[in-house]
Amino acid sequence: MSVWAVLAAAGSGERLGEGRPKAFAPLGGLPLLAESLERLERSEWIEGIVIAAPPGWEEPTILLAEEIGAGKVSVCVPGGSSRSRSVSLALDEVPAGASVVLVHDAARPLLPDEVIERVLAPLSAGWDGAVPVLAVTDTIKRVRGDAVVETLPRAELVVAQTPQAFVAAVLRGALAGGAEASDCASLVEAAGGRVRAVPGDPRLLKVTTRADLELVSSWR
Ligand code: CTP
Ligand code: MG
């Protein structure tokens, strides 16, 4: 199994409001992006890495990779206008020889190697993809305007995280038509792929707001 990682880091970080892309928000003295990049670099499962950088930030991204000794980074591409587009542009730079692609959000800096192992395992057992999930603890309702129209059955609901792993050809096919979604697994599901849910990790919290950044910083 030849595993390549795509690191989605091209977002603008509007909700964090740092005045610079979220990937370059400071975390423990380095840009946020450095944390997940270091962990992918150290992981024995990962052969190469392609980064989707915030447009205009390709050079600082390459310099950062050099600074932390992330020699597995082969290319850094400017990202697109949506997450799906950024992943697609990075995927175009993943060599044809890669059989599996692991897609990870730079916004989830604390990436445990056990989770990488957990999402890769189902791919050897015939699954098209795997996604780390956490149980939902709140009750989830659908609302239209101010009106509650439905309460969803909580026992069936989970929260999806990254890293998500896919058979490379399946992911390429799912992204080919320019489809958009907030994660890659939903595109693979929509294309008829079989995606396995595996246990996620609360440390994989996605940094969205200032409070998330402080939490993640305290967990490092
Ligand atoms: N992402 C990306 N390209 C985009 C948008 C998002 O690569 N055009 C990445 C982000 O860098 C992040 C992940 O997708 O690692 C999840 O996106 P999100 O948390 O929404 O980050 P931002 O879009 O940067 O934040 P915001 O929505 O607050 O602007
Ligand atoms: Mg966003």
Side-chain angles (χ1 to χ4, degrees):
M1 194 154 82
S2 161
V3 185
W4 275 64
V6 162
L7 190 53
S12 55
E14 288 302 319
R15 290 168 289 180
L16 189 59
E18 281 280 303
R20 67 181 113 170
K22 183 154 67 185
F24 284 86
L27 176 69
L30 280 176
L32 179 83
L33 166 66
E35 186 78 27
S36 53
L37 187 54
E38 265 176 349
R39 289 163 183 252
L40 288 170
E41 176 71 26
R42 274 203 307 267
S43 174
E44 286 184 7
W45 300 99
I46 307 299
E47 211 171 294
I49 303 167
V50 179
I51 306 174
W57 290 72
E58 301 88 321
E59 201 176 315
T61 302
I62 289 290
L63 290 174
L64 176 65
E66 282 169 6
E67 184 188 338
I68 65 175
K72 291 181 186 173
V73 175
S74 73
V75 198
C76 169
V77 299
S81 56
S82 65
R83 183 186 185 277
S84 302
R85 187 75 191 123
S86 296
V87 171
S88 186
L89 290 166
L91 190 59
D92 288 343
E93 300 299 328
V94 170
S99 57
V100 168
V101 177
L102 184 95
V103 183
H104 184 60
D105 290 333
R108 303 178 190 273
L110 307 184
L111 167 57
D113 206 42
E114 311 92 82
V115 181
I116 297 181
E117 200 168 333
R118 244 180 257 156
V119 292
L120 291 176
L123 275 67
S124 317
W127 293 81
D128 295 313
V131 40
V133 302
L134 292 180
V136 168
T137 51
D138 291 315
T139 299
I140 308 285
K141 295 181 189 293
R142 188 189 310 281
V143 292
R144 291 210 184 99
D146 292 336
V148 173
V149 292
E150 190 186 1
T151 299
L152 300 166
R154 188 173 62 189
E156 286 181 4
L157 298 175
V158 291
V159 171
Q161 302 181 313
T162 74
Q164 301 183 352
F166 304 96
V167 172
V170 171
L171 183 60
R172 288 186 201 274
L175 281 161
E180 302 273 335
S182 54
D183 77 348
C184 294
S186 42
L187 298 175
V188 169
E189 294 152 31
R194 288 175 67 240
V195 178
R196 165 109 202 232
V198 304
D201 192 309
R203 291 170 294 178
L204 275 166
L205 174 75
K206 186 170 74 152
V207 171
T208 303
T209 63
R210 185 82 228 162
D212 297 331
L213 188 58
E214 277 157 24
L215 253 185
V216 161
S217 173
S218 73
W219 291 345
R220 271 177 88 236

